[in-house]
Amino acid sequence: MVNDTNNTNNTTVTPIIDEYKFDIYSQNTLKGFVSAGSAHGENVPLLFKPLKIKDMELKNRIVVSPMCQYSSQDGFMNDWHLAHLSSFARGGAGLVIFEATAVNPEGRISYADSGLWKDDHIAPLKRINNLIHSLGSKSGIQIGHAGRKASSTPVFLENGRAHLDKSHKDGWEVVGPSPVAFSANVPHELTVDEIQKIVEDFRLAAIRALKAGFDFLEIHGAHGYLVNNFLSPVSNKRTDAYGGDLQGRSRFLFEVIKAVRSVWPTEKPLGVRLSCIEWVSDGWSIEDTVELSKIIKNMDIDLIDCSTGGNVASQKIEMGPLYQVPFAERVKKEIPDIIVGTVGLINTGTEAESILQSGKADLVMLGRAFLRNPHWPYAAAKELNANIDFAIQYTFAK
C-alpha cells in the first residue's frame, strides 16, 4: 500500500502490480504452470509418453543434449544460461542436460567453459534448476575433463578451436594418458597420482551437482576428451595399469564411475556419453562400445548416450540424417535392459517417433534442432497430431 499524496481525497492507492505478484519457483499461484510437453488423449505418440528411470520420471522422451555455450567466466553460469536452458523447459522438453562442465579449471575446453570445481558454482546452477523444475522438466548436467583438447578458444570466435599455449594468458598445459597430440597440443602424460587427483575432482563435482538439485548426471566419455583419450588405442599408448587392452584403457572410466557413484545416490540415474566409433580404421569400435557398456551397466550406469567421433583429427565422418542412430541401435540390441539415448541430425517429430517405435533407442536427444527452435516439442506434437500442454502463457498459440 502507498499513499498517493497527489490525490485530493487523500485516499490510499494499491499499486496494481501487487495484485499479480507470484513466485514461480514455489508454484503457489500459477497452477498448471508446469504442464508444457505433457500429452493427453488417445493414441499418444511414443515420443510423448512418460519414461521413468530410477527416481526420475520424464513426461516425454525428448532430451536436450549438452551444448557448450562458451559464455562462462571462471566457470560460472550466468543470465545467458538461465535464459538459454529454461527456454527448452518452457518449450516442453522432458529432460534438459546442461553443457559439458569441467571438474577442474584445466579440464575446460576453453577459458569460457562452465565449471563445477568449487562450491561457489553451486548457487547459479541451483537458480537455473529451480526455474526448469518449476516449468515441469527434469534437469541433468554433463561433467567432464577436456584432456588433450583443452586450452582452446571458443568455437564461435574468428580463430575458434585454436589451441592456446600455456604461455598465453588464457591458456594452460593440457594433459592426457600419453604424449600423443590431437593437433598441435602435445599433452603432458598424466602420472598415476595426477590421475587419482582427477578422479577425486569428478567425485567432488558430483557432490556439487547433487547440492545444485540435478535429477540426472552424465559422465562425458566422448568426443576426444579425457575419458575418451584413455579409452582409445589411438590416444592411449600407456603400458601401465591404465593402458594396454580394453580393460586397462577403461580403468580410468571405471574409477571415475566408482567415485561418482560413491556420492551420487543409486536411486538417481547416472549416464555415460560414449563415442561409439572413432571413424578411423584403427580406433575405438562399436564392438568396444558394446563390451564396455555391458561392463559399466553392472557398475550402476543407467543410460548410454550414444554419439561418435571427436578423438582423431583425421576422422572421416559419414554424416547425414540420423547417421548416429545405428550405433545406438546396436547397443540397445545387445543390451536391451539399459536405457539408450541417440543423437545426430534428428530434426523432425516423425524421425524421432520412428526411432522410438522401431526400438532403436529409448530417448531422442537433440541439439541443433533446439537451437533453431527452443519450442521444438510443440512443432513435433503438431506434426504427429498429438495433444500436448503448452506453457499456460503460450496456450493462445495452440
Side-chain angles (χ1 to χ4, degrees):
M1 302 288 286
V2 297
N3 192 311
D4 185 353
T5 56
N6 294 322
N7 190 299
T8 55
N9 296 322
N10 200 30
T11 59
T12 57
V13 177
T14 303
I16 193 168
I17 191 65
D18 283 359
E19 300 177 19
Y20 299 96
K21 189 177 295 182
F22 61 88
D23 177 3
I24 60 173
Y25 292 164
S26 68
Q27 302 172 20
N28 286 334
T29 306
L30 291 180
K31 304 301 181 185
F33 198 87
V34 301
S35 62
S38 297
H40 305 282
E42 299 179 355
N43 301 318
V44 173
L46 190 53
L47 186 64
F48 289 98
K49 287 187 176 178
L51 178 67
K52 189 173 178 63
I53 311 172
K54 293 279 185 70
D55 70 351
M56 178 179 72
E57 183 164 356
L58 304 178
K59 60 191 173 186
N60 57 46
R61 316 291 177 99
I62 302 168
V63 180
V64 180
S65 270
M67 293 179 283
C68 291
Q69 296 298 289
Y70 304 104
S71 300
S72 297
Q73 186 172 22
D74 191 29
F76 285 92
M77 290 197 186
N78 51 47
D79 285 354
W80 170 261
H81 299 91
L82 179 74
H84 166 70
L85 292 162
S86 67
S87 69
F88 306 132
R90 187 172 66 243
L95 173 62
V96 180
I97 306 179
F98 291 29
E99 66 192 78
T101 298
V103 299
N104 60 38
E106 298 75 28
R108 292 174 294 172
I109 304 167
S110 82
Y111 54 81
D113 281 32
S114 61
L116 252 181
W117 64 79
K118 55 185 175 182
D119 289 348
D120 290 347
H121 288 141
I122 295 171
L125 295 172
K126 190 171 184 64
R127 176 187 179 221
I128 301 170
N129 273 332
N130 286 342
L131 181 52
I132 287 174
H133 288 151
S134 78
L135 294 163
S137 296
K138 302 299 183 182
S139 65
I141 191 166
Q142 183 186 73
I143 57 173
H145 188 296
R148 64 183 188 158
K149 292 174 76 172
S151 189
S152 64
T153 55
V155 65
F156 46 69
L157 297 184
E158 185 176 351
N159 64 337
R161 298 190 190 278
H163 173 64
L164 297 177
D165 188 80
K166 63 181 180 180
S167 63
H168 191 280
K169 66 179 182 64
D170 292 318
W172 56 89
E173 182 179 51
V174 299
V175 301
S178 304
V180 179
F182 176 77
S183 54
N185 45 335
V186 178
H188 158 70
E189 182 173 311
L190 289 164
T191 67
V192 172
D193 286 345
E194 289 168 338
I195 291 171
Q196 292 304 306
K197 171 61 169 60
I198 295 173
V199 170
E200 175 65 4
D201 290 339
F202 271 92
R203 188 185 73 86
L204 295 174
I207 292 173
R208 296 182 185 109
L210 187 64
K211 290 180 178 179
F214 286 99
D215 306 290
F216 169 72
L217 186 65
E218 179 172 87
I219 297 166
H220 199 344
H223 301 162
Y225 303 128
L226 189 59
V227 171
N228 193 187
N229 298 161
F230 271 92
L231 292 174
S232 171
V234 175
S235 48
N236 185 348
K237 304 297 184 181
R238 299 177 76 100
T239 57
D240 65 1
Y242 292 93
D245 61 10
L246 186 141
Q247 281 282 341
R249 287 182 279 111
S250 302
R251 183 180 300 275
F252 175 62
L253 174 59
F254 296 159
E255 292 183 356
V256 167
I257 291 172
K258 289 177 182 177
V260 168
R261 262 302 181 204
S262 73
V263 295
W264 187 257
T266 189
E267 63 269 17
K268 282 187 168 292
L270 177 64
V272 176
R273 170 166 275 195
L274 295 174
S275 283
C276 294
I277 65 169
E278 291 194 300
W279 300 102
V280 292
S281 60
D282 57 345
W284 183 265
S285 68
I286 184 61
E287 289 76 22
D288 294 328
T289 297
V290 170
E291 183 177 348
L292 176 65
S293 297
K294 288 178 179 178
I295 296 170
I296 62 178
K297 175 188 175 295
N298 292 325
M299 298 178 68
D300 206 9
I301 291 297
D302 305 291
L303 184 149
I304 305 296
D305 177 356
C306 294
S307 187
T308 65
N311 190 50
V312 183
S314 62
Q315 66 185 10
K316 303 294 182 184
I317 300 178
E318 300 170 11
M319 191 174 292
L322 316 187
Y323 75 103
Q324 297 187 112
V325 174
F327 306 108
E329 180 182 13
R330 175 70 180 273
V331 174
K332 187 64 184 177
K333 180 180 178 181
E334 298 274 358
I335 318 171
D337 55 346
I338 198 167
I339 301 296
V340 172
T342 189
V343 299
L345 300 184
I346 303 165
N347 291 310
T348 70
T350 300
E351 290 171 345
E353 180 69 8
S354 69
I355 291 167
L356 298 176
Q357 288 289 350
S358 58
K360 296 175 181 177
D362 303 288
L363 294 169
V364 177
M365 310 174 85
L366 302 100
R368 293 176 179 88
F370 266 109
L371 293 182
R372 290 189 291 268
N373 179 9
H375 301 154
W376 186 89
Y378 297 168
K382 183 177 181 181
E383 182 184 345
L384 296 171
N385 196 29
N387 179 22
I388 69 166
D389 291 328
F390 283 28
I392 61 171
Q393 295 90 339
Y394 289 3
T395 51
F396 291 113
K398 290 188 73 172

